[in-house]
Amino acid sequence: MAEHGVIIRAGEVIDGANRMRFRADVAIDGDRIAAVGDLSDDTAETEIDAAGRIVCPGFIDVHTHDDRMLRDAGDMTPKVSQGVTTVVAGNCGVSLAPLVAAERPMEPLDMVGLEGDYRYPTFAGFVDDLTRRAPASNAALLVGHGTLRLAVMDDTQREATPDETAAMEEKVAEAMASGAVGLSTGLEYPPARRCGTGEVVALAAVAARAGGVYATHMRSYGADARAAFEEAVRVGRDARLPVVISHFHCHADGNPGLCAEALGWYDESRGEGVEVAVDAYPYEASSTSILPRFVEKSAKVLVAWSKPHPETNGRYLHDIAADWGVDAVDAAERLAPGGAIYFGRDEENVKRLMAHPAVLIGSDGIPLNPHPHPRLWGTFPRVLGRYVRDLGLMALEDAIHRMTAASADRFGLRDRGRVETGRHADIVVFDPAAIADRGAYMEPERPAAGIDRVLVNGVEVWNARGHTGAAPGRVVGRRTG
Ligand code: ZN
Ligand code: CU
């Protein structure tokens, strides 16, 4: 007989460790899980009835561009409304710190911050901001290589000098000491395209010494994807740290077979002594900057935002081009800087990725976009509703494992990602029959269906009535739990 803060009663617990679900009560004291089992003799200040519901760890969104949303719109509604309790920010080489830039930064840094947003000489300054005014979700932070290059190089369209590399190494060390969980790169993007592999190995080695991971948007996801994949594995091997390859939707133009091939490289790489994981999201369209070379490869493009032509937000590029009497590439040049949603992936490949046991779920959502890709609001419910329940591609336990414990282990998030006594109480209660994403490409900003309760560090942030206004999130990592 014990008295707890919260007891979630009679749910089907899926604990995150890829074990079969079991009926149990879950007790929470403060920010920790106090007990899991038959707690019918215990009482609590707050009792939650979860009969007929799944009770599982809060989802960890391993691929986000949420840096600024964490700081400026800390309610994190697009994330907590779908059951996400921790986001990994700073992906694709783009982190809000450490960089000071009065003007709008070059793409793709403008995915995360605009004029005046990059105001951090140190990574610690950003961590301080998130600590002083906590967001509703937890944040695990990567330090971005593109950001580092802009911070130390006057011209990023070349290799870094030894002095510049040393300056970046120092900044990686500072970021890791301030609580970052690793280094990210975006080797396909303008700030990093000209860098050599040696530079990346040098910086990754600094992250490795502090126990970090290496997350990479590879140099290519098309014709040169194989070499790009080998480069990622080489960085892991030479710098001695685990590798996460971002949005592993390899799709060379006109070669839908590349995705299966790439998963084959992944399987082969497992013998090489490097821990490799990949992340992916459950949609046929991608989204990033408006760049003519991406537009050329895509049959259908939706404008997410345009700085010079905000009136085109949410319109199709071919309609805009027709209105202007120019071709799509010319229209894209006029619309930049901006962001777009690119269609053209094969749904069979999306299914293949979602079902693969190595794929962690990461939304790659871009909250700064006025017309975002629906992945920002719907990634996790879409996997559980469409790919698990409706299409039956994998077990619910497997999918949840790759949204929780597997992700926590990969990013070194101590004591998260499991419903287990002593762990942090990041918990989702949802209805497996009702869970679904509700956003669409033309109307992306809609909360998911079927999410009953979302608790972060033992505090309810979302329920059937909406956001509770609570902001119990923390900067999390190996040391900070
Ligand atoms: Zn990326
Ligand atoms: Cu990304």
Side-chain angles (χ1 to χ4, degrees), residues 63 65 92 189 217 246-247 364:
H63 189 114
H65 298 289
C92 296
Y189 284 121
H217 174 140
S246 301
H247 38 64
D364 201 9

Side-chain angles (χ1 to χ4, degrees), residues 285 290 295 298-305 311-324 326-328 331-332 335 339-344 371 374 440-443:
I290 294 185
V295 166
S298 237
K300 199 165 80 166
V301 178
L302 183 64
V303 175
W305 64 278
E311 75 282 3
T312 64
N313 295 352
R315 292 191 65 208
Y316 284 103
L317 182 67
H318 61 254
D319 293 336
I320 300 164
D323 284 358
W324 292 350
V326 300
D327 69 19
L335 290 164
I341 295 165
Y342 299 91
F343 294 85
H371 185 103
Y441 288 104
M442 294 313 288
E443 216 185 313

Side-chain angles (χ1 to χ4, degrees), residues 199-449:
E199 174 185 323
V200 180
V201 171
L203 302 185
V206 177
R209 284 198 285 278
V213 300
Y214 173 58
T216 180
H217 174 140
M218 301 193 293
R219 245 178 245 272
S220 166
Y221 289 83
D224 301 322
R226 172 97 214 213
F229 181 88
E230 280 165 5
E231 181 181 35
V233 174
R234 189 188 137 195
V235 171
R237 187 174 47 230
D238 291 0
R240 296 169 180 273
L241 81 180
V243 178
V244 182
I245 300 180
S246 301
H247 38 64
F248 204 56
H249 299 261
C250 296
H251 51 109
D253 333 311
N255 178 10
L258 186 65
C259 180
E261 244 181 80
L263 286 169
W265 311 332
Y266 165 80
D267 290 333
E268 289 166 30
S269 78
R270 300 177 68 189
E272 293 189 38
V274 182
E275 289 181 69
V276 181
V278 303
D279 67 64
Y281 53 86
Y283 292 88
E284 288 173 83
S286 62
S287 181
T288 182
S289 312
I290 294 185
L291 289 174
R293 81 198 147 78
F294 292 158
V295 166
E296 274 168 15
K297 293 190 233 167
S298 237
K300 199 165 80 166
V301 178
L302 183 64
V303 175
W305 64 278
S306 161
K307 165 108 186 191
H309 293 284
E311 75 282 3
T312 64
N313 295 352
R315 292 191 65 208
Y316 284 103
L317 182 67
H318 61 254
D319 293 336
I320 300 164
D323 284 358
W324 292 350
V326 300
D327 69 19
V329 171
D330 285 339
E333 263 157 19
R334 289 195 204 176
L335 290 164
I341 295 165
Y342 299 91
F343 294 85
R345 282 181 191 144
D346 185 343
E347 165 72 353
E348 287 310 307
N349 283 333
V350 178
K351 290 184 193 165
R352 187 173 273 123
L353 284 164
M354 291 302 114
H356 195 284
V359 173
L360 306 177
I361 307 303
S363 69
D364 201 9
I366 306 172
L368 202 52
N369 283 358
H371 185 103
H373 186 299
R375 65 193 182 184
L376 177 65
W377 288 73
T379 287
F380 291 79
R382 186 171 170 86
V383 172
L384 300 177
R386 177 175 166 78
Y387 293 93
V388 173
R389 182 192 56 232
D390 298 347
L391 297 174
L393 292 181
M394 64 279 206
L396 189 53
E397 286 83 352
D398 170 29
I400 287 176
H401 174 61
R402 295 186 281 114
M403 298 172 167
T404 59
S407 310
D409 291 349
R410 176 51 64 238
F411 284 87
L413 309 182
R414 208 183 52 192
D415 290 348
R416 302 213 179 252
R418 287 176 170 81
V419 174
E420 197 177 75
T421 303
R423 304 270 180 181
H424 280 106
D426 296 340
I427 291 179
V428 185
V429 180
F430 72 88
D431 180 352
I435 193 163
D437 61 304
R438 291 193 307 172
Y441 288 104
M442 294 313 288
E443 216 185 313
E445 298 178 287
R446 300 176 68 189

Side-chain angles (χ1 to χ4, degrees), residues 11-15 20-26 36 55 419:
E12 296 287 321
V13 174
I14 293 182
D15 68 1
M20 277 295 286
R21 68 194 77 178
F22 53 94
R23 170 78 49 91
D25 308 320
V26 177
V36 181
V55 178
V419 174

